[in-house]
Amino acid sequence: MTYKFYGALVPFREDDLQSIGFMKRYGNLYGRIVDMDNLRLAARKAMKGKFYQAGVREYLKDPEGNLTKLHRALVDKTYKISPYKIFVIFEPKRREIYRLPFIDRVVQHAIMNILEDIWVSMFTADTYSCIKGRGVHSAALKIKKALQDEENTTYCLKIDVRKFYPSVDRKILKQIIRLKIKDKDLLSLLDSIIDSAEGLPIGNYLSQHLANLYMTYFDHWLKETMKVRYYFRYCDDIAIFSGSKRYLHQILSDIRIYLEVDLHLSIKSNYQVFSVEIRGVDMLGYVFRRRYTRLRKSIKKNFARAVAKRKSRSTIEAYKGWTKHADCKNLLKVLSDEKNKEVQRNGHSGRGRWLDWRKNQHEKAGEPRNYSARV
């Protein structure tokens, strides 16, 4: 079997690439991107839910004039991406967030209005995150369904890519883009956005889509070449199921080589191969068991505290959305009861903390016990 290397040194036979639609390259896209109607649509998308921002209010003082000016700059090839405003958040861990002025966000929405269908057509069905109809809850439903096949999901390999967004190799990313796009004006625009920061800047609208694109050949390699049956990827969060622990360790070794050699990425040291029956699968904010699904403890606590602090209705409804895909009737009952102030403040009751303490004591003594489920 002879392989030809494409882009980031990804081994695929040419007929394999043809069958999954990778051989067709698209041109004549730039004119559609800079079209005024597309820019108007992009502006509406970019300002959705952000009318309070100063940049949006400034734009709305003369929307048509601002779009005409942007259109002219794009047509004349004089558009330059603006400097980023960088700030740090600590939820749930330290991250640098890059923010662009509103008009630059319009450009990125305009690009994705045209490229989204092209790029999504390249993704496997097991790729989630920032894809219409394939978010957290869609992935959760697929994982639940997979776990019904007990024979082939006995063990789980759980891995994360180390500092994924900052570690994306821009040269390799440009090569991957060129496998599908041949419009020189569009490639020049995309290159200027890619070169505006190291790796992929978290906060850029385009970054989340480029991240999926960067990993798509890896996805197909696992599915078509390595024949992995149960594979799920949400951004850089990966879970693979199998009936063989030895098989998962071998796949881990192959994945490590692929990511390091072909994509210049590395796996976090906290990778795990474990029994699904014993531990459950902690992913996407849930802990998946074969017979039931629970919210991750940190999300449950945040939900309880949001109720206690009487956060906005939209915040509470967002947490309730999480509970719709988990077995949380008792949790919702407790949080809706005004008498349960302690649970709302702390995420569990005093008895829950006592059970935690007792469980830890027995585990230290090597005496595993069964404890009643807490909210």
Side-chain angles (χ1 to χ4, degrees):
M1 184 180 295
T2 303
Y3 286 96
K4 185 173 182 180
F5 287 87
Y6 287 77
L9 305 181
V10 184
F12 273 105
R13 290 178 302 176
E14 191 160 334
D15 55 347
D16 288 339
L17 288 166
Q18 184 72 54
S19 68
I20 56 180
F22 280 8
M23 294 299 291
K24 182 178 180 180
R25 298 175 70 220
Y26 290 82
N28 301 317
L29 298 172
Y30 191 76
R32 294 169 58 192
I33 289 171
V34 305
D35 179 78
M36 280 295 291
D37 286 338
N38 185 52
L39 292 178
R40 292 187 187 101
L41 174 61
R44 290 197 296 272
K45 289 183 176 181
M47 73 173 70
K48 187 176 181 180
K50 297 180 174 65
F51 289 97
Y52 63 91
Q53 293 183 356
V56 175
R57 294 200 301 269
E58 185 65 27
Y59 162 80
L60 288 174
K61 291 178 180 178
D62 183 15
E64 199 64 17
N66 287 319
L67 284 184
T68 300
K69 183 179 178 181
L70 175 61
H71 169 75
R72 192 74 266 157
L74 289 167
V75 170
D76 295 342
K77 315 294 190 308
T78 58
Y79 167 78
K80 302 289 183 184
I81 189 168
S82 305
Y84 289 97
K85 178 182 179 181
I86 304 174
F87 58 96
V88 177
I89 64 171
F90 295 90
E91 295 181 6
K93 58 185 179 182
R94 187 185 189 279
R95 287 192 177 96
E96 285 190 346
I97 306 299
Y98 291 69
R99 178 181 290 172
L100 282 171
F102 176 74
I103 205 67
D104 295 276
R105 301 202 297 271
V106 171
V107 172
Q108 297 192 17
H109 276 274
I111 291 171
M112 287 311 303
N113 285 346
I114 305 303
L115 292 188
E116 184 171 12
D117 289 343
I118 296 173
W119 284 349
V120 169
S121 69
M122 300 169 63
F123 301 156
T124 70
D126 306 304
T127 303
Y128 301 89
S129 175
C130 306
I131 305 171
K132 290 178 182 176
R134 281 196 259 166
V136 168
H137 300 138
S138 176
L141 290 173
K142 287 289 188 69
I143 291 175
K144 288 181 186 179
K145 184 177 180 181
L147 290 178
Q148 301 313 303
D149 182 1
E150 296 188 22
E151 182 181 355
N152 295 304
T153 59
T154 308
Y155 300 100
C156 176
L157 166 62
K158 184 77 167 50
I159 60 177
D160 293 309
V161 177
R162 183 177 178 274
K163 295 184 178 180
F164 176 46
Y165 275 73
S167 300
V168 167
D169 187 303
R170 291 177 292 175
K171 183 178 179 181
I172 293 174
L173 177 59
K174 291 176 184 179
Q175 291 176 335
I176 292 173
I177 290 172
R178 281 160 172 76
L179 294 177
K180 203 68 176 173
I181 306 299
K182 61 181 179 181
D183 185 313
K184 292 183 179 179
D185 291 335
L186 175 54
L187 289 172
S188 177
L189 177 59
L190 289 171
D191 287 351
S192 69
I193 295 173
I194 292 169
D195 290 334
S196 65
E198 290 295 323
L200 289 177
I202 299 174
N204 252 10
Y205 176 69
L206 202 56
S207 291
Q208 53 197 353
H209 300 283
L210 291 175
N212 272 335
L213 186 67
Y214 194 72
M215 297 291 283
T216 193
Y217 286 88
F218 168 77
D219 297 334
H220 281 280
W221 169 74
L222 278 174
K223 296 296 290 184
E224 275 92 39
T225 302
M226 304 305 292
K227 307 297 182 183
V228 174
R229 182 175 182 181
Y230 292 119
Y231 164 70
F232 303 91
R233 180 177 67 79
Y234 191 91
C235 193
D236 63 330
D237 198 4
I238 296 170
I240 299 174
F241 297 93
S242 173
S244 168
K245 185 181 287 189
R246 181 178 180 181
Y247 170 79
L248 290 178
H249 279 289
Q250 181 57 55
I251 282 290
L252 172 63
S253 177
D254 294 336
I255 287 173
R256 192 190 302 277
I257 293 171
Y258 185 107
L259 291 178
E260 289 179 356
V261 174
D262 292 354
L263 297 178
H264 298 175
L265 299 173
S266 60
I267 295 173
K268 286 183 181 178
S269 59
N270 64 348
Y271 66 86
Q272 304 166 349
V273 177
F274 57 90
S275 168
V276 171
E277 203 67 44
I278 294 174
R279 291 184 48 184
V281 182
D282 189 336
M283 187 175 184
L284 305 171
Y286 297 101
V287 178
F288 297 95
R289 300 277 186 174
R290 295 198 190 280
R291 305 290 176 255
Y292 61 89
T293 302
R294 296 284 191 236
L295 278 182
R296 181 181 289 161
K297 191 173 183 179
S298 60
I299 292 179
K300 183 189 71 175
K301 285 186 174 183
N302 290 338
F303 183 13
R305 288 164 184 163
V307 171
K309 294 177 180 178
R310 301 187 182 279
K311 294 279 189 174
S312 66
R313 182 175 178 178
S314 60
T315 298
I316 301 301
E317 290 301 317
Y319 280 113
K320 285 184 177 179
W322 284 87
T323 65
K324 290 179 181 178
H325 299 271
D327 300 288
C328 296
K329 288 183 179 179
N330 194 39
L331 173 65
L332 290 172
K333 181 180 178 181
V334 171
L335 293 183
S336 63
D337 190 340
E338 286 292 328
K339 296 178 182 179
N340 292 297
K341 295 296 184 182
E342 184 178 10
V343 177
Q344 294 172 11
R345 285 196 302 271
N346 302 307
H348 53 66
S349 64
R351 175 169 172 76
R353 291 197 300 275
W354 179 82
L355 285 171
D356 278 338
W357 179 83
R358 290 289 292 164
K359 183 177 180 181
N360 289 334
Q361 295 303 309
H362 284 295
E363 286 178 349
K364 288 178 181 178
E367 301 173 1
R369 302 284 184 90
N370 289 325
Y371 292 88
S372 58
R374 302 186 306 278
V375 296

